[in-house]
Amino acid sequence: MQKEQQQEAAADPMSSSDAPEDGPKGTSSISQNISDADAFKILLEMKLKKRQKRPALPSTVTELNTEDGSKVYVVGTAHFSDSSKKDVVKTIQEVQPDVVVVELCQYRVSMLKMDEKTLLKEAKEINLEKLQQAIKQNGVMSGLMQMLLLKVSAHITEQLGMAPGGEFREAFKEASKVPFCKFHLGDRPIPVTFKRAIAALSFWQKVKLAWGLCFLSDPISKDDVEKCKQKDLLEQMMAEMIGEFPDLHRTIVSERDIYLTYMLKQAAKQIELPRASENEPRKYIPAVVVGVVGMGHVPGIEKNWNSDLKIQEIMSVPPPSASSKIFKFVLKATVFGLLGYSCYRIGHRTVQFVLSMPATQSYLQRLTEVPQQ
């Protein structure tokens, strides 16, 4: 498992900076006499006592179990829903997890630490600089695809007045309050997803998809906002657009279902308890994991849960197809053609303007009179 694929975004929240300054007298002297193993056991016992044996979980939570007794609570969320944020908070507080896994990769981790106002502004602003950055990071085709999908997200953001990813930020904050809770990024890196998606489409499919995304401007009604609390509006709109492209659905949805399932199972491995000495036998306890993913991924995670998953194949990027090369050539030719035509028109108009000036006409008349003399 690569380090960047299972990056820990939150360290142990029970740090000295979080500890209250004023405590019972003699606390510091007592803590110095307790070994790290004993301190860990005390905090773990406190955590287990707070963990509900029969947690009262929202209806959006799906419980999954591993062979070694670990439990995984998958919270199905809508990316633009306040109720989803509440579901995430309640679930983490009830089960006191050892690991929280969210549907983000290292390329989108910045949204965890940005405030709602900044994110709302960033989501609405799609400019040339962002396009250049996307192309530089993912290549021409994948970069354009990413910007078109960002346009879809920005359209919903503008209509709802709500920045995406609120449930992930809530998960990040709540995980920091739970002792010894790790925070993992569980989604496949964006560049891999987009490059595989582009490679799966034919030339005309790419043109058709780009056309549909470019002209997406239908307003979102209040009824749609309410539906958003029950189903992921962004994923629903995407499903409608990519429904006629089975290969695109496979790379953007089905493959990520497999990847998310794999990461959740990796996070659910048993936890080794600290030992007072190397001679003491190793002891393990089942882990408790909370996964925060879009509702559209929950059925796929359930489907793949008991399968023997291998992600090497879905992490590879196939070489560009002939249609991709043709599309890239046509795109470049179109851009340079428009640029050249613009220069020609500007130059042509400039020449006409200069020739129409009285001083120029007078000078040209003199030149024509010289040979006659």
Side-chain angles (χ1 to χ4, degrees):
M1 178 56 54
Q2 296 180 356
K3 183 179 180 181
E4 63 179 7
Q5 293 173 356
Q6 199 172 11
Q7 176 183 359
E8 290 186 10
D12 179 6
M14 302 298 292
S15 59
S16 58
S17 59
D18 296 330
E21 293 181 2
D22 297 325
K25 293 182 179 181
T27 301
S28 58
S29 60
I30 293 174
S31 61
Q32 291 177 356
N33 297 327
I34 298 178
S35 66
D36 291 340
D38 290 336
F40 181 91
K41 288 179 181 179
I42 292 172
L43 290 173
L44 183 61
E45 286 177 4
M46 293 172 59
K47 176 179 177 177
L48 294 178
K49 285 181 180 178
K50 194 175 180 181
R51 180 180 290 171
Q52 299 296 324
K53 293 182 179 180
R54 293 183 180 178
L57 300 175
S59 60
T60 54
V61 176
T62 300
E63 182 180 338
L64 300 170
N65 298 286
T66 65
E67 294 179 356
D68 55 19
S70 296
K71 292 184 179 294
V72 178
Y73 299 94
V74 182
V75 188
T77 67
H79 297 317
F80 292 87
S81 171
D82 282 328
S83 59
S84 287
K85 294 192 237 180
K86 295 176 183 177
D87 290 349
V88 170
V89 172
K90 183 174 179 60
T91 303
I92 293 177
Q93 289 177 349
E94 287 285 317
V95 305
Q96 294 289 297
D98 303 300
V99 185
V100 172
V101 181
V102 295
E103 185 197 331
L104 286 177
C105 69
Q106 63 267 30
Y107 294 92
R108 293 187 293 161
V109 73
S110 59
M111 72 162 54
L112 293 175
K113 297 183 179 180
M114 295 173 69
D115 60 87
E116 197 81 10
K117 185 178 179 181
T118 304
L119 275 169
L120 193 60
K121 182 180 178 182
E122 287 285 325
K124 290 181 179 180
E125 292 181 356
I126 299 179
N127 49 38
L128 183 60
E129 183 180 352
K130 287 186 178 180
L131 177 60
Q132 291 174 338
Q133 185 179 359
I135 291 176
K136 182 179 179 181
Q137 186 180 76
N138 305 318
V140 177
M141 292 303 305
S142 299
L144 289 174
M145 174 68 77
Q146 181 178 348
M147 292 308 297
L148 289 173
L149 292 177
L150 280 176
K151 182 179 180 294
V152 177
S153 179
H155 171 64
I156 301 175
T157 298
E158 187 174 3
Q159 294 285 318
L160 300 183
M162 183 186 299
E167 72 274 30
F168 302 138
R169 289 188 291 281
E170 290 297 328
F172 181 74
K173 285 188 278 188
E174 285 301 316
S176 66
K177 300 175 185 178
V178 179
F180 311 113
C181 182
K182 297 180 181 179
F183 192 91
H184 288 179
L185 305 176
D187 201 3
R188 183 172 65 178
I190 281 181
V192 176
T193 297
F194 282 123
K195 287 176 182 178
R196 286 185 63 84
I198 290 297
L201 295 178
S202 66
F203 172 76
W204 291 114
Q205 284 178 327
K206 292 170 186 173
V207 173
K208 190 174 182 180
L209 179 65
W211 181 268
L213 291 173
C214 283
F215 292 94
L216 177 70
S217 58
D218 295 335
I220 299 173
S221 65
K222 293 181 179 180
D223 292 337
D224 291 327
V225 176
E226 292 303 317
K227 290 178 183 177
C228 181
K229 297 177 181 179
Q230 301 172 357
K231 188 173 182 180
D232 193 323
L233 185 59
L234 176 60
E235 293 194 6
Q236 182 180 354
M237 294 178 70
M238 287 304 304
E240 291 174 357
M241 285 185 292
I242 68 177
E244 55 186 302
F245 307 126
D247 292 332
L248 192 61
H249 184 275
R250 172 177 53 82
T251 53
I252 291 183
V253 181
S254 301
E255 289 184 357
R256 288 173 60 224
D257 289 345
I258 295 173
Y259 190 90
L260 287 165
T261 307
Y262 179 85
M263 295 301 287
L264 286 169
K265 293 179 80 170
Q266 289 295 311
K269 290 183 176 179
Q270 287 190 324
I271 299 172
E272 181 181 355
L273 297 176
R275 297 178 294 167
S277 65
E278 293 184 359
N279 297 326
E280 186 179 343
R282 297 177 183 272
K283 294 181 181 179
Y284 298 86
I285 59 172
V288 173
V289 178
V290 170
V292 183
V293 303
M295 286 183 179
H297 292 291
V298 176
I301 292 172
E302 287 187 273
K303 177 184 175 182
N304 294 300
W305 188 252
N306 294 318
S307 303
D308 184 18
L309 303 175
K310 296 179 181 178
I311 62 170
Q312 289 80 4
E313 182 180 348
I314 63 173
M315 288 300 294
S316 63
V317 179
S321 60
S323 62
S324 296
K325 294 179 181 178
I326 294 172
F327 187 82
K328 188 183 292 186
F329 174 77
V330 171
L331 181 64
K332 288 183 178 179
T334 302
V335 172
F336 284 113
L338 290 172
L339 183 61
Y341 179 72
S342 300
C343 293
Y344 165 75
R345 292 293 298 174
I346 293 172
H348 184 66
R349 289 180 181 177
T350 303
V351 171
Q352 285 182 334
F353 175 74
V354 172
L355 291 176
S356 65
M357 294 176 65
T360 305
Q361 292 180 354
S362 175
Y363 180 73
L364 291 175
Q365 186 177 0
R366 291 178 184 177
L367 288 177
T368 54
E369 292 176 354
V370 171
Q372 293 178 358
Q373 294 176 357

